[in-house]
């Protein structure tokens, strides 16, 4: 390697100065990033970055609404307490739109009462089964029979 560096450099340095007619310098053309092959490569990358940004914004707005509706007027900790120990005769209101479920225990005299909890033995084919996955953890039963109020 040393012989190449020392030998080649010394040979180039020993060359005489160039002589002859001087030419106009060549036109460099468009910038590399403005040529069409570069645009072919950069366009999908730019579209992908824009798509990620749009999905991020959609997630912020959708997540924000979900977070607000998930809180409801009761709060996240109130949900567990509101449904703990449902029994026959209690009334329930659903704060969310389908397919989400956000049931709340409330007074049966309230105009917001959507369903009334019934005994499982009284559950008929037109009644609904409120499963535990729609309720807060530790709500008691695995499912409740509810009738429209």
């Amino acid at each position: 390697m040393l012989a190449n560096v020392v030998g080649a450099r010394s040979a180039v340095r020993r060359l005489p100065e160039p002589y002859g007619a001087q030419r106009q310098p060549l036109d460099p053309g468009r910038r590399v990033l403005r040529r069409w092959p570069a645009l072919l490569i950069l366009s999908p990358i730019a579209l992908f970055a824009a798509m990620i940004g749009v999905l991020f914004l959609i997630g912020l707005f959708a997540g924000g609404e979900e977070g607000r509706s998930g809180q409801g007027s009761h709060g996240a900790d109130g949900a567990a307490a509101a449904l703990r120990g449902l029994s026959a005769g209690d009334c329930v209101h659903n704060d969310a739109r389908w397919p989400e479920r956000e049931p709340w225990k409330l007074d049966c005299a309230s105009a917001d009462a959507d369903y009334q909890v019934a005994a499982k033995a009284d559950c008929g084919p037109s009644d609904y089964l409120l499963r535990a996955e729609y309720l807060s953890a530790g709500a008691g039963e695995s499912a409740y029979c509810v009738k429209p109020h």
Side-chain angles (χ1 to χ4, degrees), residues 31-50:
R31 294 180 59 187
V32 172
L33 293 179
R34 291 192 179 182
R35 295 179 188 172
W36 70 268
L39 291 177
L40 285 177
I41 293 172
L42 293 178
S43 296
I45 294 171
L47 288 174
F48 182 73

Side-chain angles (χ1 to χ4, degrees), residues 16-63:
E17 284 287 322
Y19 62 92
Q22 292 288 330
R23 292 180 24 183
Q24 290 274 353
L26 295 174
D27 181 25
R30 300 175 100 185
R31 294 180 59 187
V32 172
L33 293 179
R34 291 192 179 182
R35 295 179 188 172
W36 70 268
L39 291 177
L40 285 177
I41 293 172
L42 293 178
S43 296
I45 294 171
L47 288 174
F48 182 73
M51 183 177 61
I52 295 294
V54 167
L55 290 176
F56 179 73
L57 289 175
I58 290 172
L60 278 177
F61 289 118

Side-chain angles (χ1 to χ4, degrees), residues 1 4 23 29 33 39 44 46 53 56 58 72 74 77 88-89 118 123 127 130 132 134 141-143 148:
M1 278 186 11
N4 285 341
R23 292 180 24 183
L33 293 179
L39 291 177
F56 179 73
I58 290 172
H74 309 284
D77 293 336
C123 203
D127 298 331
L130 182 62
Y134 298 128
E141 298 279 332
S142 62

Side-chain angles (χ1 to χ4, degrees), residues 60-148:
L60 278 177
F61 289 118
E65 288 175 14
E66 183 178 301
R68 284 191 294 273
S69 71
Q71 292 294 321
S73 59
H74 309 284
D77 293 336
L83 287 172
R84 206 165 268 128
L86 282 177
S87 60
D90 290 338
C91 288
V92 176
H93 170 72
N94 184 24
D95 268 348
R97 285 184 268 162
W98 188 88
E100 291 87 21
R101 301 287 186 265
E102 190 178 330
W104 297 97
K105 179 178 174 181
L106 50 82
D107 185 22
C108 289
S110 172
D112 289 335
D114 296 326
Y115 304 101
Q116 186 169 16
V117 178
K120 282 189 183 178
D122 296 337
C123 203
S126 63
D127 298 331
Y128 301 104
L129 198 59
L130 182 62
R131 296 194 177 275
E133 61 256 20
Y134 298 128
L135 306 176
S136 302
E141 298 279 332
S142 62
Y144 293 95
C145 177
V146 291
K147 298 179 180 223

